[in-house]
Amino acid sequence: MAGGSGLRVWGTALGGVMVVLAVLTGCAGPFQYYEGTGLHDVTAAEVTGGWDNVEGTRVVLREDGTALLEKLDGQDFDFEDGWRLSGAGTWQLSDGDGGQVVRLALTSRTRVEQRSPLMVADTSTPEPPSTYAWRFYVDRDEHDEPKLFFFYGDPDVGNTYVMTRETGS
């Protein structure tokens, strides 16, 4: 009887550990640890130029590594603060194990706007940053043209903020 009791205690302890692990890993959505598109063949010339988003965002990546930003939202959880930044900055195309990314840095903020009040959940949002850095993943669309994107909001959801080549660029 003592052997059966020890087995039951062991089974209960193991079950408890499994529940704790399930709770801890349940919050890690598929995009929380996104490693990239695996793309390694895009050139800096292909990403140079103007980029748009359906929300009225415009980003211009210049050949000399400088950038102009207009109404660019924050990425990840910063998106929920509702600010949209405009100004000047720098950009760089880099390549890592997971694929290529465009690193964009706002160095001189010229304007801050808020998205529609209906989209901003909390009116006590922190002061928008005067400088900010984004990491755009580089991918290709169905026509083999480059596109840039980052994740916004809760990483468990996997919402993407997609920038497409500006018409005429």
Side-chain angles (χ1 to χ4, degrees):
M1 191 107 160
S5 177
L7 187 58
R8 193 170 337 159
V9 170
W10 174 249
T12 302
L14 184 59
V17 168
M18 295 302 285
V19 168
V20 169
L21 286 175
V23 168
L24 290 175
T25 59
C27 295
F31 301 100
Q32 189 168 1
Y33 303 108
Y34 186 74
E35 300 210 10
T37 62
L39 196 63
H40 299 280
D41 66 347
V42 174
T43 66
E46 286 182 282
V47 296
T48 299
W51 296 86
D52 291 323
N53 176 280
V54 296
E55 299 294 323
T57 299
R58 181 167 186 263
V59 173
V60 178
L61 306 176
R62 296 179 173 155
E63 287 181 26
D64 65 358
T66 61
L68 294 176
L69 298 71
E70 193 173 320
K71 299 179 185 177
L72 187 54
D73 295 281
Q75 67 183 59
D76 298 325
F77 283 114
D78 291 338
F79 181 84
E80 295 172 3
D81 290 339
W83 46 256
R84 307 185 83 199
L85 303 177
S86 297
T90 61
W91 73 276
Q92 172 184 339
L93 177 65
S94 61
D95 195 352
D97 291 340
Q100 292 173 293
V101 295
V102 170
R103 297 182 189 280
L104 177 63
L106 175 71
T107 56
S108 176
R109 187 180 80 184
T110 58
R111 189 171 70 243
V112 175
E113 296 177 34
Q114 286 291 124
R115 279 193 312 281
S116 167
L118 298 175
M119 294 187 71
V120 180
D122 185 0
T123 57
S124 64
T125 58
E127 175 68 24
S130 56
T131 62
Y132 193 78
W134 292 264
R135 180 180 158 155
F136 286 90
Y137 295 100
V138 179
D139 203 358
R140 291 196 183 272
D141 66 15
E142 64 276 2
H143 304 291
D144 206 33
E145 296 296 322
K147 69 178 181 178
L148 308 176
F149 71 94
F150 62 77
F151 293 103
Y152 69 90
D154 185 339
D156 291 340
V157 177
N159 292 320
T160 54
Y161 193 96
V162 179
M163 301 292 293
T164 56
R165 178 67 69 185
E166 185 178 74
T167 307
S169 287

